[in-house]
Each structure stands twice: as structure tokens, then as C-alpha cells.
Amino acid sequence: MESIKVYKDRAIESLSGNWAKGTIATLVFVLVFYVPAFVVDIAGSSEANVGNLWYLILLPLTWGFTVFFLDIARGEATSYGQLFDGFKEYGRIFTTTFLVGLYTVLWTLLLIVPGVIKQYSYMMTPYILKDNPDMKNNEAIEKSMKMMEGHKMDLFMLDLSLIGWAILSILTLGIGFLFLYPYQLTAHAHFYEDLKKEQEGYDVAMAE
């Protein structure tokens, strides 16, 4: 695995010429995923948990948003329609994403630190779903856990190094997140690419 600086540099290189795509994709995601639920709750329907139901239904959108930046990291052509690709395989993407969230919440209820650790264990799941169309649910989650063995702290430190961006994003009333999310998710995608190569090398060695 490479250093934090290398992954951040790779992300910036991949986003060179693609910042507009990344920021617009982020804006579309925010407008579709967050804004309707927020408006409904402000209108006084929070008792019915309409907002939470909206988030639940649109879980595949979070997957599409994440893997959008995997294509950018790979230098592949992208379109904003890809954000909604998860709805083409709604059952597979929804159930796996839901299980990731459920397991994370249950571990967090136990203790905060185990919850954070598990969150990072599961973080490669969206990419695994994309690269393995026949894989779903616990199989994909367990593969993510295997890939992240010994690397959870590496990814955590990568995210921690972006704390300055996060503070700046808050100070700009959230506008900075339109740039932070593409930066972070593209760095995550490059991290996954190296994990994948490492795992494939390990599997070949074990087969021999």
C-alpha cells in the first residue's frame, strides 16, 4: 500500500479535468438524497419518519455516488446517469447496503470505537459489488472485511488528513463539500484499487 500523500496526489490527478463532473455529481446526489427529506421534515411530517423512509428507499443512490468516483479513478468515461445505476439492481444493492448500515449501527450501539472499526472494515463493499455483479449481502461484506485486514487504520488516517477540508467546508456553509466528497471518494477508490491488487496477489500465492 502507498502513503497517504500518494493517494491524495492520485485523487487530484484523476480529478484533473474532472472536477466539474465530480462537483456536479455531488450536487445531484445532495439534491436528490438529502433535500426532499429535509423539506418534508421542515414541513412538519417528521413524526411519520418520512425523511428516514426516503433515505432508506434511496440507499442504492449512495452506492451509485460512491462507485461513480471509482470510474473516475480508473480513467473511464462517466455520466451522471451512473449515479442511479444501483436502481437497476435494486434488490442486490439495497440489501447489501442496508446490511452494512445495520451492522455498523449495531456495533456502534455496543461501543463507539468498535462501530468506527467496523465501518472501515465494510468500506470496500460498494466497490466489490461493482466489480463482482453476482456477489451480494454478507459475501460482499466479508470480502471487504478480508481486504481491509491490517489496513483500516491506513484508510482512517487518510480520512483524518482531510479534516482541514472538512472544517473549510463547514465554514463555507457546506459549499466546500462539493469538492471534498469527490476528493475523498476518488482517494478511497485508488485505495481500493491497490487493496484489490494486493488481495489478488495473495490469492495467487495461496493457490500456488
Side-chain angles (χ1 to χ4, degrees), residues 164-177:
W165 278 66
I167 294 172
L168 181 61
S169 297
I170 293 171
L171 292 177
T172 56
L173 302 179
I175 295 175
F177 286 110

Side-chain angles (χ1 to χ4, degrees), residues 60-61 63-64 82-91 93-94:
L61 182 63
W63 176 81
Q82 291 174 243
L83 296 172
F84 303 91
D85 280 353
F87 294 95
K88 298 176 182 177
E89 305 177 79
Y90 192 88
I93 302 302
F94 173 83

Side-chain angles (χ1 to χ4, degrees), residues 143 146 196 198-208:
K143 184 174 178 65
K146 183 178 180 181
K196 183 181 177 183
E198 181 180 278
Q199 186 64 53
E200 289 171 348
Y202 175 78
D203 291 341
V204 169
M206 290 298 291
E208 295 175 349

